[in-house]
């Protein structure tokens, strides 16, 4: 009898604690709850009628008719790049300012493209999205407008491509996923760094097993924005950093790593912990440009992520202090190593080189040093990614961050025209973008662990590795 009473008492206590935890979650105005010392964001169930977008391919579109929203710094580039892509046609452009529209029309004419229909004003983008003669809405606006615009465009039956990050909160990430699943429209984030040449080559090497099992990877965004802060309209980017802690711009460093680790294609990110420094440079910027001494974001933020398969990822964010540009990009494998910044190099075990069929001497390799130049160049030449072999030289001529922007746009249009799955799907957009709010939650709770939501809703093993689709 006493034992039964004891068990019942424990059950009551657990129920009360659980109810209190849920009450705290519901009443503290936070989008997460803390359970057993871990932060958990809500993972909504898939609504009946929605189906997964993993491996989704839409009907082929012979000519992809494009509407571009936002013609500022990043919106300027696709006006040129699309002119060099067969089957791409810009039919409408939209911005807040007429002078940008006028400048963009001249750029279209410069590259032999027809003038596009014009939309100017605060809500003009909605009219662009409603057009029946647009297949793809290309969004290049301040971050906080990305998700509302993408959701509206998909609801109008359009595929969307969104500049990075695609969303600023976990709730917005779920909005993108649910809208894409419900409307059966593609939602691709325009993460250009997965198409950079070293990243593509080492991805191909990883998929051929040259690094063995990749156990750890590092990435980041280290880029002093001091020359550019005042070029963002109404200082929106500095204001976002002033108001938000965390790694608010993780996708450039994370995207190539997730491809190499097959994230949601056989593995997934499960937990992260973030820490930040105090703000010194940020506060000075806020005082000088915004008239306040309050600044939320630390000058340097570090985030450590663990995956379901027991691998780790380390990310860094610093857009304040003076130092050379770096996305870090580092792969550590059981048989090899790749590093891009500040020194580019590879190391492979002798057996890995021999197995690759490269007729170069690989005896007496020093595991403390990168491969000698001759051997390095031979490995790189042999393992250039098929996408590089097709596009690299032409992409360099067209331009856009060394050609990677062109490859990104080319692959997007190519897959839409051929009815193929896109290289990046809506789950990539959600997973890479959610780091902003997850890292913020960790920092604001004394560097507590955070669960990474599973945006595939349990289907992360459905696909076998990251693949680029090609038409036969």
């Amino acid at each position: 009898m006493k034992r039964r009473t004891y068990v019942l008492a424990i059950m009551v206590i657990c129920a009360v604690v659980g109810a209190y935890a849920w009450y705290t979650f519901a009443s503290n105005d936070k989008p997460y709850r803390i359970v057993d010392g871990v932060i958990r964001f809500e993972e909504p169930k898939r609504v009946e009628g929605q189906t997964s977008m993993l491996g989704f391919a839409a009907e082929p579109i012979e000519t992809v008719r494009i509407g571009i929203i936002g013609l500022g710094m990043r919106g300027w580039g696709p006006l040129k790049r699309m002119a060099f892509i067969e089957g791409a046609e810009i039919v409408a452009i939209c911005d807040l300012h007429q002078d940008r529209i006028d400048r963009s029309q001249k750029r279209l004419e410069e590259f032999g493209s027809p003038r596009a229909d014009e939309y100017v004003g605060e809500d003009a983008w909605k009219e662009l999205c409603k057009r029946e003669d647009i297949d793809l809405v290309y969004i290049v606006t301040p971050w906080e407008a990305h998700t509302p615009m993408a959701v509206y465009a998909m609801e109008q039956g359009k595929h969307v491509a969104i500049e990075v990050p695609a969303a600023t909160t976990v709730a917005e990430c779920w909005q993108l996923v649910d809208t894409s699943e419900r409307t059966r429209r593609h939602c691709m984030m325009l993460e250009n760094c997965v198409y950079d040449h070293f990243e593509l080559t080492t991805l191909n090497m990883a998929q051929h097993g040259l690094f063995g099992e990749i156990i750890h990877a590092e990435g980041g965004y280290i880029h002093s924005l001091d020359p550019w802060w005042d070029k963002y309209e109404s200082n929106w980017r500095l204001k976002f950093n002033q108001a938000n802690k965390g790694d608010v711009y993780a996708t450039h460093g994370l995207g190539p790593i997730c491809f190499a680790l097959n994230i949601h294609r056989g593995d997934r990110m499960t937990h992260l912990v973030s820490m930040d420094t105090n703000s010194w440079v940020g506060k000075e910027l806020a005082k000088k440009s915004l008239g306040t001494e309050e600044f939320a974001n630390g000058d340097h933020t570090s985030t450590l992520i663990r995956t379901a398969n027991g691998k780790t990822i380390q990310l860094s964010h610093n857009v304040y202090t003076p130092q050379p540009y770096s996305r870090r990009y580092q792969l550590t494998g059981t048989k090899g190593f790749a590093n891009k910044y500040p020194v580019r190099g590879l190391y492979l075990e002798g057996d890995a080189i021999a197995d690759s069929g490269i007729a170069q001497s690989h005896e007496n390799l020093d595991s403390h040093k990168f491969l000698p130049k001759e051997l390095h160049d031979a490995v790189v030449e042999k393992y250039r990614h098929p996408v590089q072999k097709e596009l690299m030289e032409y992409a360099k001529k067209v331009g856009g961050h060394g050609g990677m922007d062109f490859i990104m746009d080319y692959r997007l249009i190519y897959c839409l025209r051929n009815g193929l799955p896109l290289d990046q799907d809506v789950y990539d957009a959600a997973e890479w973008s959610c780091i902003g709010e997850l890292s913020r939650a960790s920092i604001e709770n004394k560097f507590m662990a955070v669960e990474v939501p599973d945006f595939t809703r349990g289907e992360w093993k459905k696909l076998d590795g990251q693949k680029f689709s090609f038409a036969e």
Side-chain angles (χ1 to χ4, degrees):
M1 188 67 181
K2 288 183 178 180
R3 179 182 176 85
R4 183 179 177 185
T5 302
Y6 175 77
V7 171
L8 286 172
I10 294 296
M11 291 175 65
V12 169
I13 292 171
C14 290
V16 170
V17 171
Y20 177 76
W22 275 109
Y23 171 78
T24 302
F25 165 64
S27 63
N28 69 359
D29 222 17
K30 298 287 186 182
Y32 55 79
R33 59 193 174 97
I34 299 173
V35 180
D36 297 330
V38 178
I39 297 171
R40 293 180 182 171
F41 281 75
E42 182 183 7
E43 295 189 20
K45 293 182 178 180
R46 180 175 282 141
V47 174
E48 186 176 354
Q50 283 181 208
T51 54
S52 172
M53 292 294 285
L54 289 169
F56 172 75
E59 288 295 315
I61 306 170
E62 184 175 352
T63 299
V64 180
R65 299 163 299 180
I66 306 163
I68 299 179
I69 305 174
L71 300 167
M73 286 191 292
R74 296 296 290 268
W76 182 246
L79 297 171
K80 174 185 178 181
R81 299 192 299 269
M82 293 299 179
F84 292 88
I85 300 174
E86 183 180 357
E89 179 184 354
I90 298 173
V91 300
I93 53 178
C94 178
D95 198 88
L96 292 172
H97 308 289
Q98 184 64 49
D99 62 328
R100 289 184 187 168
I101 294 284
D102 296 340
R103 183 185 68 168
S104 297
Q105 296 285 25
K106 291 180 181 179
R107 188 167 176 84
L108 288 171
E109 292 174 357
E110 177 185 348
F111 292 105
S113 300
R115 289 175 65 89
D117 289 345
E118 302 177 0
Y119 292 84
V120 186
E122 191 72 34
D123 294 319
W125 60 273
K126 292 183 179 179
E127 297 306 311
L128 180 150
C129 291
K130 291 177 182 177
R131 289 176 59 133
E132 294 184 0
D133 63 344
I134 287 180
D135 306 297
L136 172 69
V137 174
Y138 199 104
I139 301 168
V140 199
T141 62
W143 301 341
E144 290 173 303
H146 287 179
T147 294
M149 289 181 173
V151 167
Y152 188 85
M154 284 188 280
E155 289 175 342
Q156 306 306 311
K158 310 301 188 289
H159 300 297
V160 297
I162 326 169
E163 259 297 348
V164 300
T168 60
T169 67
V170 174
E172 285 187 342
C173 290
W174 281 114
Q175 287 179 40
L176 293 176
V177 168
D178 286 338
T179 307
S180 180
E181 290 184 349
R182 185 179 71 253
T183 62
R184 313 309 292 162
R185 297 292 87 186
H186 285 298
C187 178
M188 172 178 151
M189 184 167 66
L190 294 163
E191 182 41 75
N192 56 347
C193 293
V194 301
Y195 300 99
D196 207 351
H197 304 297
F198 189 75
E199 283 85 334
L200 280 173
T201 299
T202 50
L203 172 63
N204 197 37
M205 291 172 63
Q207 292 177 338
H208 281 83
L210 267 70
F211 299 118
E213 191 75 31
I214 298 176
I215 63 171
H216 177 75
E218 298 188 14
Y221 190 69
I222 311 297
H223 185 193
S224 172
L225 294 180
D226 190 57
W228 289 282
W229 288 118
D230 60 357
K231 291 179 173 58
Y232 294 97
E233 182 168 328
S234 302
N235 225 344
W236 68 261
R237 187 162 183 175
L238 183 61
K239 290 177 181 177
F240 190 92
N241 281 265
Q242 189 268 337
N244 293 281
K245 289 181 176 292
D247 189 338
V248 299
Y249 201 67
T251 74
H252 283 336
L254 184 58
I257 289 171
C258 287
F259 270 18
L261 294 182
N262 296 317
I263 297 301
H264 87 245
R265 300 166 176 92
D267 198 359
R268 80 174 191 91
M269 298 181 287
T270 60
H271 295 82
L272 67 73
V273 174
S274 291
M275 291 188 181
D276 64 345
T277 68
N278 289 343
S279 173
W280 286 277
V281 178
K283 283 189 174 182
E284 285 299 315
L285 283 168
K287 186 176 180 179
K288 176 182 176 182
S289 301
L290 304 177
T292 177
E293 294 187 5
E294 298 297 320
F295 201 84
N297 208 355
D299 283 351
H300 194 104
T301 300
S302 300
T303 300
L304 191 62
I305 305 169
R306 185 172 171 86
T307 76
N309 292 344
K311 302 177 180 186
T312 54
I313 301 168
Q314 184 177 334
L315 299 177
S316 301
H317 175 267
N318 184 336
V319 293
Y320 308 105
T321 65
Q323 56 183 303
Y325 177 91
S326 172
R327 298 196 304 271
R328 300 188 72 174
Y329 189 65
Q330 185 181 104
L331 302 178
T332 300
T334 56
K335 294 183 178 180
F337 177 80
N339 191 81
K340 186 170 183 179
Y341 298 95
V343 179
R344 184 173 303 194
L346 300 168
Y347 177 79
L348 302 172
E349 286 188 347
D351 290 344
I353 297 173
D355 292 344
S356 72
I358 296 173
Q360 300 267 356
S361 173
H362 52 79
E363 297 178 0
N364 302 319
L365 290 176
D366 187 344
S367 62
H368 294 91
K369 298 179 180 178
F370 290 128
L371 297 179
K373 184 179 185 307
E374 184 180 8
L375 189 50
H376 171 278
D377 292 348
V379 171
V380 167
E381 187 60 35
K382 179 177 176 62
Y383 287 98
R384 291 199 188 279
H385 196 281
V387 167
Q388 285 175 286
K389 292 178 180 179
E390 177 188 5
L391 298 171
M392 184 170 66
E393 294 306 318
Y394 189 62
K396 288 180 179 179
K397 292 177 182 178
V398 176
H401 290 95
M404 62 184 178
D405 293 359
F406 175 78
I407 296 176
M408 173 186 69
D409 285 344
Y410 179 94
R411 284 292 302 171
L412 169 60
I413 301 302
Y414 173 87
C415 291
L416 289 175
R417 294 189 73 211
N418 288 281
L420 299 171
L422 303 188
D423 302 337
Q424 302 175 53
D425 60 26
V426 68
Y427 307 109
D428 292 313
E431 289 159 356
W432 306 349
S433 298
C434 77
I435 302 303
E437 187 171 24
L438 299 186
S439 60
R440 180 161 65 250
S442 177
I443 292 168
E444 289 177 347
N445 288 277
K446 297 182 179 179
F447 324 118
M448 189 178 291
V450 184
E451 286 188 359
V452 180
D454 176 11
F455 294 100
T456 71
R457 295 179 167 107
E459 297 182 344
W460 53 276
K461 291 184 179 181
K462 179 179 177 181
L463 300 180
D464 183 19
Q466 200 286 333
K467 295 180 176 64
F468 286 60
S469 297
F470 294 90
E472 293 184 2

